[in-house]
């Protein structure tokens, strides 16, 4: 259960940025037949406020949701890692509830 209700960023279409704020995550949501992960990721990073973790949720029509998180979570300096829903839930839970 989330400690705080997710906040939708209503100004996002006009001002850029991300779609949802669920601390510690800044979430961008994309649904498109043509996946342009690299450009979506670069845009999310450009609009990312300090102290928040980037999270990109994306899918094609009639496909399952997938998630991109920063590759620095596995020790890389740049890029992203794509997770399926099961892995994303486990990773997010650990991030929100550290031991």
């Amino acid at each position: 259960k989330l400690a705080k209700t997710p906040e939708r960023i209503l100004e996002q279409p006009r001002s850029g940025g991300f779609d949802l704020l669920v601390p510690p995550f800044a979430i961008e949501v994309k649904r498109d037949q043509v996946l342009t992960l690299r450009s979506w990721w670069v845009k999310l990073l450009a609009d990312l406020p300090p102290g928040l973790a980037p999270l990109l949720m994306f899918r094609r029509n009639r496909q399952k949701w997938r998630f991109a998180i920063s590759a620095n979570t596995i020790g890389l300096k740049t890029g992203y890692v794509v997770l399926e829903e099961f892995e994303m839930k486990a990773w997010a839970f650990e991030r929100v509830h550290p031991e």
Side-chain angles (χ1 to χ4, degrees), residues 1-3 23-25 89-99:
K1 183 170 170 129
L2 295 173
F25 306 107
K89 285 180 179 178
W91 178 81
F93 183 83
E94 290 174 8
R95 178 85 184 224
V96 173
H97 303 286
E99 291 184 49

Side-chain angles (χ1 to χ4, degrees), residues 27-42:
I27 304 171
E28 180 72 16
V29 181
K30 298 291 187 182
R31 183 175 171 189
D32 202 333
Q33 281 303 97
V34 178
L35 300 181
T36 56
L37 294 179
R38 173 67 53 194
S39 64
W40 294 339
W41 185 255
V42 168

Side-chain angles (χ1 to χ4, degrees), residues 10-28:
L10 297 175
E11 292 294 316
Q12 191 268 349
R14 283 183 285 222
S15 62
F18 47 92
D19 295 311
L20 295 169
L21 176 60
V22 184
F25 306 107
I27 304 171
E28 180 72 16

Side-chain angles (χ1 to χ4, degrees), residues 12 17-20 24-32 34-45 48 53-59 64-71 79-85 88 91:
Q12 191 268 349
F18 47 92
D19 295 311
L20 295 169
F25 306 107
I27 304 171
E28 180 72 16
V29 181
K30 298 291 187 182
R31 183 175 171 189
D32 202 333
V34 178
L35 300 181
T36 56
L37 294 179
R38 173 67 53 194
S39 64
W40 294 339
W41 185 255
V42 168
K43 173 87 171 73
L44 177 56
L45 291 182
L48 188 66
L55 173 57
L56 175 62
M57 299 175 57
F58 63 94
R59 75 178 185 124
K64 292 182 179 181
W65 285 100
R66 296 171 65 200
F67 306 85
I69 61 172
S70 176
Y80 55 87
V81 177
V82 175
L83 303 175
E84 301 295 328
E85 184 176 356
M88 178 60 210
W91 178 81

